[in-house]
């Protein structure tokens, strides 16, 4: 006997009901998804600004030659990691060594000349003292002869001769005093150590020693060697670029944000970043350090002329500097020029965080020495 529920009409009706329930379930899932997305956009999504026009930047330390010479050896090469203070280039030291020996000889000669001046000053002062003693005797003799001539006991010619002797001794004393003063001025008030010639020779020796030490060119920071522009046997001049050292721990991100989306960006805002190098599998954390002083077009080689008749208005971009957590950089190193995607918090309790101490310390360490 055939059951009524097993008829074709009933089976079709049951299938239609099942399909209807499935459609309602699918519609409910879609509506729930839209509701969740809407809530996320209202609460979180609209409070974050996503920028794909962001690039990694960093300090690039130029290594220049500080003295002239011939390259003897190059222990470093492109892509090599070097420690701060390690040798990058060594110059031959014949020329610098001879300059150093010459400066040492000139300093010794200047010191001998200063000591000779001391002895000359002492001899001049001794001669002046002897002349003053003779002057005292001559003055007494002239006084006696003048008194005797007045009394008629001696001739006037003897008194005149004695007076001439006194005047001659006085002139010799004046000349010797001027000579002693000239020698003292030549020596200097600080003595042989402060003699101008000795000081000049000392500075020349220090400069020669500095050039001697500069024949070994060392890495200013720990980083990766790049832009090698020197080869063994090459003659280099002072100021010539030899290498560039890139410290991988001194990196930041510059995001170029349109002016129409810049209003909510504030220093201290939390930022999450993703690099095209690692993809979305690696997330970097950072903070907005500051906003640029002007748009990129203002600092271009040919800035726009707003007053000219052929100027066309277009949306400008302002660079925003973002500090990256050094722990993230240590785990996943970056290179200058790599592209990034930045997501900046605009509203909510996670913004207005202070700039971290590690960034302030790294920024202070990256400043050149005065």
């Amino acid at each position: 006997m055939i059951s009524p529920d097993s008829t074709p009409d009933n089976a079709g009706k049951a299938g239609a009901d099942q399909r209807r329930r499935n459609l309602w379930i699918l519609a409910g899932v879609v509506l729930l998804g839209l509701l969740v997305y809407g809530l996320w956009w209202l609460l979180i999504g609209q409070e974050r600004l996503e920028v794909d026009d962001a690039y990694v930047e960093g300090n690039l330390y130029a290594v220049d030659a500080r003295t002239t010479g011939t390259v003897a050896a190059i222990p470093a090469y492109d892509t090599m990691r070097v420690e701060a203070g390690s040798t990058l280039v060594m110059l031959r030291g014949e020329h610098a060594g001879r300059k150093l020996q010459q400066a040492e000889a000139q300093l010794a000669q200047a010191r001998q000349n200063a000591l000779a001046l001391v002895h000359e000053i002492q001899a001049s002062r001794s001669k002046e003292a002897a002349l003053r003693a003779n002057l005292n005797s001559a003055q007494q003799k002239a006084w006696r002869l003048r008194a005797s001539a007045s009394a008629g006991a001696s001739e006037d010619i003897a008194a005149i001769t004695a007076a001439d002797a006194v005047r001659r001794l006085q002139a010799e004393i004046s000349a010797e005093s001027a000579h002693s003063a000239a020698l003292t001025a030549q020596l200097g008030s600080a003595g042989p150590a402060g003699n101008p010639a000795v000081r000049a020779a000392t500075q020349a020796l220090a400069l020669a020693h500095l050039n001697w030490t500069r024949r070994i060119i060392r890495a200013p920071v720990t980083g990766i060697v790049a832009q090698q522009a020197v080869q063994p046997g090459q003659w280099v001049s002072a100021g010539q670029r030899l290498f560039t050292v890139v410290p991988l721990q001194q990196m930041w991100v510059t995001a170029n944000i349109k002016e129409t989306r810049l209003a909510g960006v504030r220093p201290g805002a939390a930022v999450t970043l993703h690099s095209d190098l690692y993809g979305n599998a690696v997330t970097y954390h950072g903070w907005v350090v500051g906003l640029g002083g002007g748009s990129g077009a203002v600092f271009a080689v040919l800035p726009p002329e707003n007053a000219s008749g052929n100027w066309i208005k277009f949306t400008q971009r302002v660079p925003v500097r973002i500090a990256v957590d050094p722990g993230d950089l240590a785990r996943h190193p970056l290179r200058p020029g790599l592209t990034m995607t930045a997501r900046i918090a605009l509203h909510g309790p996670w913004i207005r965080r202070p700039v971290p101490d590690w960034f302030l310390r790294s920024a202070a360490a990256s400043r050149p020495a005065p």
Side-chain angles (χ1 to χ4, degrees):
M1 183 176 180
I2 300 176
S3 174
D5 295 338
S6 61
T7 61
D9 293 340
N10 292 335
K13 184 178 180 181
D17 293 339
Q18 183 64 33
R19 287 193 298 271
R20 190 178 297 107
R21 284 193 298 271
N22 291 339
L23 290 175
W24 279 109
I25 293 174
L26 179 61
V29 170
V30 171
L31 290 175
L32 180 62
L34 292 175
L35 179 62
V36 171
Y37 178 78
L39 292 175
W40 175 86
W41 174 253
L42 291 175
L43 298 178
I44 298 177
Q46 66 176 353
E47 296 181 349
R48 292 181 180 270
L49 171 63
E50 184 171 345
V51 182
D52 57 359
D53 188 1
Y55 304 90
V56 179
E57 295 188 21
N59 292 315
L60 306 179
Y61 288 80
V63 180
D64 302 332
R66 301 298 180 88
T67 184
T68 58
T70 303
V71 177
I74 304 178
Y77 52 84
D78 274 350
T79 71
M80 179 180 178
R81 186 182 185 277
V82 294
E83 298 292 333
S86 59
T87 302
L88 298 180
V89 181
M90 297 180 62
L91 304 180
R92 294 178 182 174
E94 295 87 353
H95 181 74
R98 291 175 181 176
K99 286 288 186 181
L100 181 61
Q101 294 175 357
Q102 182 181 5
E104 291 174 347
Q106 290 176 351
L107 178 59
Q109 183 65 43
R111 287 175 175 172
Q112 289 181 359
N113 294 338
L115 292 176
L117 284 175
V118 172
H119 295 313
E120 289 184 15
I121 292 172
Q122 293 175 352
S124 177
R125 290 175 178 174
S126 298
K127 184 178 179 180
E128 183 181 352
L131 289 174
R132 290 187 182 278
N134 294 336
L135 175 62
N136 188 22
S137 300
Q139 286 175 340
Q140 293 178 1
K141 181 179 179 181
W143 181 79
R144 289 194 302 270
L145 290 175
R146 188 167 53 252
S148 299
S150 300
S154 63
E155 298 180 356
D156 292 339
I157 187 67
I160 295 174
T161 303
D164 291 340
V166 171
R167 286 190 291 270
R168 184 177 66 254
L169 288 173
Q170 289 175 343
E172 290 180 359
I173 290 173
S174 298
E176 197 62 36
S177 178
H179 179 62
S180 177
L183 292 176
T184 303
Q186 185 177 356
L187 177 63
S189 59
N195 179 255
V198 174
R199 293 175 60 185
T202 302
Q203 295 299 324
L205 177 60
L207 181 59
H209 185 269
L210 182 62
N211 290 332
W212 168 260
T213 58
R214 283 177 172 176
R215 64 189 177 87
I216 300 179
I217 303 171
R218 304 183 184 277
V221 292
T222 300
I224 303 298
V225 176
Q227 292 183 315
Q228 179 180 352
V230 62
Q231 297 296 332
Q234 179 179 348
W235 175 266
V236 297
S237 302
Q240 180 177 343
R241 178 70 58 86
L242 305 180
F243 286 100
T244 299
V245 179
V246 183
L248 299 185
Q249 285 300 312
Q250 298 181 15
M251 296 290 163
W252 64 88
V253 174
T254 298
N256 300 298
I257 302 177
K258 293 182 179 180
E259 57 182 326
T260 54
R261 308 175 65 189
L262 193 65
V265 179
R266 296 289 185 272
V271 184
T272 57
L273 306 108
H274 295 89
S275 170
D276 292 352
L277 175 63
Y278 300 104
N280 294 329
V282 177
T283 300
Y284 295 88
H285 303 84
W287 289 262
V288 173
V289 178
L291 280 68
S295 66
V298 172
F299 301 108
V301 179
L302 296 175
E305 293 292 340
N306 298 4
S308 62
N310 57 355
W311 178 74
I312 300 175
K313 179 180 178 180
F314 58 93
T315 303
Q316 301 289 332
R317 291 180 180 267
V318 177
V320 176
R321 183 161 175 165
I322 301 171
V324 185
D325 193 316
D328 296 340
L329 288 175
R331 288 186 294 270
H332 304 283
L334 296 173
R335 300 295 194 274
L338 297 180
T339 56
M340 303 285 289
T341 299
R343 190 173 288 108
I344 305 173
L346 301 180
H347 307 284
W350 46 79
I351 72 166
R352 302 296 297 171
R353 299 181 62 178
V355 178
D357 294 338
W358 56 262
F359 181 80
L360 298 177
R361 290 194 298 268
S362 63
S366 64
R367 296 192 185 101

